[in-house]
Structure formats: C-alpha cells, structure tokens
C-alpha cells in the first residue's frame, strides 16, 4: 500500500522507516556509487531528510519498505537548487506550484509494479495539491523505466556516466497519465484515493456540523 | 476573480511597511469574497508577524489562551507544506470543539482553507481564508480558487519578507542569465515556441524557467513578470 508520511510521522512506523533508509544506502551507495553519507546503522540520510520532507512510500505486506521518494517545496531549500544548478542552466527552480522529488528508491525484493505505484503516488500528490510540476534528481538510467510507465520527464541536464550518472528532470502533473499508472501499479482508482485521504484527511462535513 | 486579483497584487507591490500590508489584507479579503483572511509568519529565530481581518478581541483571546496549542489548523499545518481544506483536519475532542465553538461565536467561519508556506532558512507562514458558505458552495468555491489562494499566499509572504529585509531588493531579484534570456525574448514579442527554439530548450523547460522568474519577481503572471523585470532594469531589449 502507498503511505504518505512527513518525516515527523515516520516514528509511527519504525520498521518501514529503518528499512527505507537501509534500502536507500543499498541503492545509492552500494549499487549506484553516489557520494552519499551512510551512518553506523547503515542508514542513508542527508540534510534534506532533516527538513521534514514528505515521503511517498510503498509499504509491503510485511510492513517493510518496497520503494519510496521524497518531496520538498521549491520555495524552501532544495537539493536541486543547492547542488545541481549546473544541470538546470543555472536557474534556481522556485515556485509554489513546483515541488522537488528526490531519492527515488526501490527495495531489493520489490515487485515489478512498485515503480508504477510510486509514480502514481507522486502524481496523486501533484494533482491533490494543485501543483504544475515536479523537479527531480534521478539515476539517469531510470529514464527507460519512466518511459515504459508512460510518464517521462523532460531532462534538463545529466552529469557523470554509467552507474554514477545523475539527471535533473521535470515531470508535468497531468491527469491523463493516471489511468495507465493505476493499471501498471494494479491499484484500483478508489483505493488510490483512499490511501491519499487516509494520509491527508477525509473531506468531512464542515466543523460546524460536528460542533452543533 | 483572476483579473481583479492580478490587479490587486500589482497594487500591493507598492506596500513599504507592515502597516501598509495590513491595509492590503482587508482589500484582499474583499477580492477573495470571503469573511476572513489571515497571514501569519514565524521566522527561524521565532519572530512573528501577522496581518489579518479577525476582530482584535478574538486575536487577544487566542493569544491569551495560547489556542495555537489546540487549534487543528495550526497543529495540522505547522512544519508541513501541503494546502488543506479545514474539512480534512481533525476536529474531534472536547477541547477542540469548545475552541471551534468559541471561534465561531467570535465570527470565524466554519469553512476554511489554509496554505502553509515554507520559505528560505526555515521560515514558516500560514495563509488562511475562512467563510460561512454552505458545504456545497464552499466546495465549488475552493475548486475554482485554490490556485489563486496558493499564489496569493506566496505573494503576501514574499512581500512581507521583502519588507522585513529592508531595501535589499536587488539581492533577491537576481535572476539567472537563462531566466533573463527567457523573459527578454517574451519582451521582444517572441512566442513561447520561438523562444524555446532560440534557447535550444523544450517548451516545458521554458515554462518552468519563466514560472521561476515570475516567482522571484513576485509578479502575478508572465506579463507582469516581464513588465517588472523591465522596470527593475534586469532586461535589455
């Protein structure tokens, strides 16, 4: 299932939290050889995890991490603007309608549908909060995966080569890609809405009705 | 409303003091056609500033009772950054219900929509509109105006930050060369397609660069962004 959790809510799901940061170490340090910091417990965390980001996480049936990504608003501090300006033509990307998405990570034994489910979660965030775009930092080789899922980014720049290649790209939040993502993620439409509402609150009648 | 809001926002550019901003908040409430509008900012060192339309007696009562501790809007938005309809917040519990009852007696609407803002260096602000429309009318209203609320929230926030900072405008208004190129081409009458082609970027990229420039210039739309950049002497055409 998809979980939408701010960093200050992760303590409610200790197994999910711990397996997520460990899977991130495995993916970004061990497999991709990115220059990331891993603590003595094997958790990959950076300064942006300390800014109370919003995580979109695929939780497996055993409660562990299947995949995740991390959102931050571009009106505050972001990784793209702090560290990747050379990949965005030197333009600090800032807008209340654009959020940054980083650390797209898949668990080691994730089912094939997990990447589609995560992209679906990202889309629900964008559509649910009326955003126009996401700007993302990603493993350059992921472009093929995004293409297969039917939601490709506009690539702004690439640095490095092979396994250490990193890209910055833009995803437009477009409702027309939603049916294909639901289909590939094998998630029914209403279930996806349910997961979203469970995280961000259901639209109950106005508080007055509850007070009266 | 879009046209009126754009005009209003351009008029607000002239605000030079926080007192000016307070005056504009009342006008903004009228443009939004709601009962109340609140902007509240907390910077990293704990300094606070508010501009709002609530009766002062309610503001005093709220501060005196330290209602921020129970207020579901504050509890639900602080340290977060997604906009939220009050219907989605947790209004259960006696303390919260008592608070809401008192708030409504003081004239706060039962409907509300809040936009949390995360600014630079850990700044946090909250922009709220509240009203007494029925559920159906309110749903229709928020559906139509949610983007306007988000943009107005950030406009007011940037204006407040600018006033707080003082006269150091150029520092913030420093556009990158690529943003200057994009706006220059629009100023010269290029279409977006032509501008994107000349800059060897996609139209999607161009749209995002222009939106970034619009935000930095605190303009309400692209036309105003170009006009502001020209006024500030950032473009040479």
């Amino acid at each position: 299932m998809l979980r939408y959790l701010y960093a200050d809510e992760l303590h409610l799901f200790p197994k999910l939290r711990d397996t997520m940061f460990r899977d991130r170490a495995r993916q970004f340090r061990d497999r991709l050889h990115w220059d990331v910091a891993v603590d003595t417990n094997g958790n990959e965390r950076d300064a942006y995890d300390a800014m109370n980001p919003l995580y979109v996480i695929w939780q497996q049936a055993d409660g562990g991490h299947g995949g995740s990504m991390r959102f931050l608003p571009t009106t505050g501090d972001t990784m793209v603007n702090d560290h990747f300006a050379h990949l965005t033509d030197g333009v600090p990307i800032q807008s209340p309608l654009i959020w940054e998405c980083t650390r797209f990570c898949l668990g080691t034994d994730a089912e094939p549908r997990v990447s589609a489910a995560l992209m679906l979660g990202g889309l629900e965030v964008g559509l649910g909060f009326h955003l126009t775009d996401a700007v993302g930092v990603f493993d350059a080789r992921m472009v093929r995966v995004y293409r297969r899922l039917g939601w490709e980014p506009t690539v702004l720049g690439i640095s490095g080569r092979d396994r250490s290649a990193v890209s910055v790209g833009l995803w437009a939040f477009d409702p027309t890609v939603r049916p294909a993502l639901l289909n590939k993620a094998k998630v029914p439409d209403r279930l996806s809405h349910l997961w979203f509402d469970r995280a961000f609150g259901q639209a109950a009648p106005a508080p007055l009705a509850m007070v009266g | 409303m879009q046209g009126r809001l754009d005009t209003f926002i351009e008029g607000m550019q002239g605000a030079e003091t926080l007192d000016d901003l307070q005056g504009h908040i009342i006008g903004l409430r009228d443009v939004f056609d709601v009962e109340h509008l609140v902007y509240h900012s907390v910077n990293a060192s704990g300094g606070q500033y508010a501009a709002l339309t609530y009766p002062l007696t309610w503001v005093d009562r709220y501060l005196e009772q330290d209602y921020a501790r129970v207020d579901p809007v504050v509890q639900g938005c602080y340290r977060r950054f997604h906009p939220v309809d009050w219907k989605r917040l947790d209004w259960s519990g006696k303390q919260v219900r008592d608070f809401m009852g008192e708030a409504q007696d003081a004239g706060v609407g039962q409907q509300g929509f809040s936009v949390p803002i995360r600014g630079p260096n850990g700044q946090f602000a909250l922009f709220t509109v509240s009203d007494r429309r029925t559920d159906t009318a309110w749903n229709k209203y928020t559906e139509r105006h949610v983007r306007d609320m988000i943009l107005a929230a950030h406009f007011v926030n940037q204006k407040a930050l600018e006033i707080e900072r003082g006269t150091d405008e150029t520092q913030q208004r420093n556009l990158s060369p690529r943003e200057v190129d994009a706006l220059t081409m629009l100023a010269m009458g290029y279409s977006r397609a032509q501008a994107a082609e000349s800059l060897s970027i996609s139209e999607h990229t161009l749209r995002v660069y222009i939106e970034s420039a619009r935000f930095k210039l605190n303009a309400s739309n692209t036309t105003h962004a170009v006009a502001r950049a020209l006024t500030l002497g950032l473009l040479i055409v």
Side-chain angles (χ1 to χ4, degrees), chain A residues 6 8 51-52 75 88-90 92-96 130-131 133 154 156 197 201-202 204 206-208, chain B residues 79-82 87-88 91 104 110 118-119 135 146-147 154 176 178 202 204-205 207 209 211-212 215-216:
Chain A
Y6 279 94
D8 63 6
M51 296 178 186
N52 208 34
T75 51
T88 63
D89 276 341
I93 293 173
Q94 283 186 294
S95 160
H130 314 277
L131 308 174
D133 302 88
T154 300
L156 297 183
D197 288 347
Q202 214 146 9
L208 181 66
Chain B
R79 300 199 70 222
R80 306 220 174 329
F81 45 82
H82 65 277
K87 286 186 172 71
R88 289 181 178 266
W91 296 91
Q104 282 173 22
Q110 85 280 18
R118 186 172 289 190
D135 283 343
V146 60
R147 280 264 172 91
H154 285 269
S176 67
R178 212 59 170 158
S202 70
H204 186 191
T205 305
R207 174 170 64 71
Y209 288 177
E211 166 58 14
S212 281
F215 175 73
K216 285 163 204 151

Side-chain angles (χ1 to χ4, degrees), chain A residues 51-105:
Chain A
M51 296 178 186
N52 208 34
L54 174 68
Y55 299 97
V56 176
I57 310 175
W58 179 262
Q59 187 175 29
Q60 291 178 318
D62 68 358
H65 172 255
S68 55
M69 60 218 265
R70 178 178 74 183
F71 282 98
L72 278 170
T74 60
T75 51
D77 299 318
T78 59
M79 184 189 259
V80 172
N81 292 336
D82 293 346
H83 300 287
F84 292 93
H86 56 291
L87 298 184
T88 63
D89 276 341
V91 178
I93 293 173
Q94 283 186 294
S95 160
L97 305 177
I98 303 173
W99 287 5
E100 171 183 84
C101 177
T102 55
R103 290 294 193 264
F104 186 101
C105 171

